Amino acid sequence: MACRLLLLAIVVIAELAAQTAAFPSAQWFRQQWIKPPLEVEMRPPLRLEDYVAGGKLELSLRSYIELVMANNTDVAIQKLTLFTAQNAIERAFAPFDPSFVGSFNANRSNTPSNDLLAGAAVLSNLSQRSNFNFVQTMETGTQYQVGFVGSKTANNSAFTNFNPSIQANLQVQLSQPLLRNRGAYVNRIPIMVARSRLRVSESDLRERVTTLLSQAENAYWDVIDAREALRVRQKSLELAEAFLKRSTRELELGAISPLE
């Protein structure tokens, strides 16, 4: 019995975990950006009508356990704690996520010239600047950064030697901590803590589901026992009523004395 309950609990936990899509699939993004329901709606018991036949509710032990698992709010709340622990693992990997920042801007100015040395009656200047920066921290603590800065200037002056003028600068920086935050073990401590908390949440959910299944099975068999006990008592009542009728008839016929 215990093995069957534990196996059913493992199946329920696996179904709950399978409902969460893996990153970075499209289903994962839909789950993250979907608008959560803010209204509370009281719903009737789920799947109850599936077991109604001829106006009577007929439940086997498996059907009863399925109804309990589908309508128990404690399991749904415990499932939310499991999702929270799973998201905590993703948050623990955040320091190792790469960061890419890019920017581009362009400015143009037209200035009337009152000097022949300006090279144009209306001096037009165009300035364009782009900046790209990529930073990532590895699990060993090593951090590398790649930066690129490019600029372009152009004008309509007749005295400009290089038109347009382009400048570019590429910078690569690598840093490695020697004492603090050095090594993969130290940097992975938040990840290991988050995974340990996930295992604790899974154990709590498994224990809660196992307890719920045990209580549901005991309640089911208690109802069966009470029903069979009622049938036995009804049968005893019928036998007692039949014996009373027979004794009354025997008394009328004089087969037994009134004292008997």
Side-chain angles (χ1 to χ4, degrees):
M1 182 66 65
C3 295
R4 185 173 61 181
L5 292 176
L6 181 60
L7 183 60
L8 186 56
I10 294 175
V11 171
V12 172
I13 294 175
E15 292 178 354
L16 295 178
Q19 294 177 2
T20 304
F23 177 82
S25 62
Q27 181 65 21
W28 184 88
F29 285 101
R30 284 194 293 267
Q31 291 178 354
Q32 299 300 319
W33 294 102
I34 189 173
K35 183 179 179 181
L38 302 179
E39 298 180 356
V40 178
E41 180 181 357
M42 300 299 295
R43 298 180 300 177
L46 300 177
R47 302 178 57 186
L48 184 62
E49 297 180 355
D50 298 342
Y51 304 101
V52 176
K56 295 182 179 180
L57 181 63
E58 298 181 0
L59 291 175
S60 62
L61 177 60
R62 181 179 181 86
S63 301
Y64 174 70
I65 291 178
E66 290 178 354
L67 282 177
V68 171
M69 296 302 300
N71 295 278
N72 190 272
T73 55
D74 291 342
V75 175
I77 295 175
Q78 196 72 22
K79 181 177 66 174
L80 295 178
T81 61
L82 186 63
F83 292 158
T84 302
Q86 291 175 346
N87 293 332
I89 297 178
E90 297 183 5
R91 291 194 302 269
F93 279 97
F96 309 113
D97 292 340
S99 174
F100 179 78
V101 179
S103 62
F104 174 80
N105 57 72
N107 295 319
R108 178 181 291 275
S109 62
N110 296 322
T111 306
S113 177
N114 55 4
D115 189 356
L116 295 177
L117 297 179
V122 178
L123 188 61
S124 178
N125 293 315
L126 174 63
S127 176
Q128 295 176 333
R129 180 181 176 86
S130 59
N131 185 7
F132 301 97
N133 191 25
F134 181 85
V135 181
Q136 184 175 16
T137 302
M138 309 300 293
E139 295 183 1
T140 57
T142 305
Q143 184 183 77
Y144 65 92
Q145 179 177 354
V146 179
F148 174 80
V149 177
S151 61
K152 174 184 176 182
T153 58
N155 55 53
N156 60 345
S157 176
F159 300 106
T160 303
N161 294 328
F162 298 97
N163 193 13
S165 176
I166 300 176
Q167 296 179 357
N169 183 20
L170 179 64
Q171 181 181 5
V172 179
Q173 182 179 354
L174 182 68
S175 62
Q176 172 62 50
L178 298 180
L179 295 177
R180 187 177 182 181
N181 297 330
R182 175 179 176 269
Y185 183 81
V186 175
N187 294 314
R188 289 180 60 88
I189 288 180
I191 301 175
M192 292 186 290
V193 171
R195 288 177 175 174
S196 299
R197 291 177 177 174
L198 175 61
R199 289 193 292 269
V200 171
S201 300
E202 291 176 347
S203 300
D204 293 341
L205 177 59
R206 186 181 297 109
E207 180 182 1
R208 177 58 186 161
V209 171
T210 303
T211 303
L212 178 63
L213 294 178
S214 177
Q215 295 175 352
E217 186 170 2
N218 291 334
Y220 180 84
W221 291 118
D222 289 343
V223 172
I224 298 298
D225 181 70
R227 185 187 65 183
E228 296 301 323
L230 178 61
R231 289 181 179 177
V232 171
R233 292 176 181 178
Q234 288 177 346
K235 190 66 175 180
S236 300
L237 179 61
E238 293 176 358
L239 293 177
E241 290 177 349
F243 180 76
L244 177 61
K245 292 180 179 179
R246 179 180 177 182
S247 299
T248 303
R249 184 60 178 169
E250 291 178 351
L251 180 62
E252 293 175 353
L253 296 177
I256 59 176
S257 65
L259 295 178
E260 295 180 356

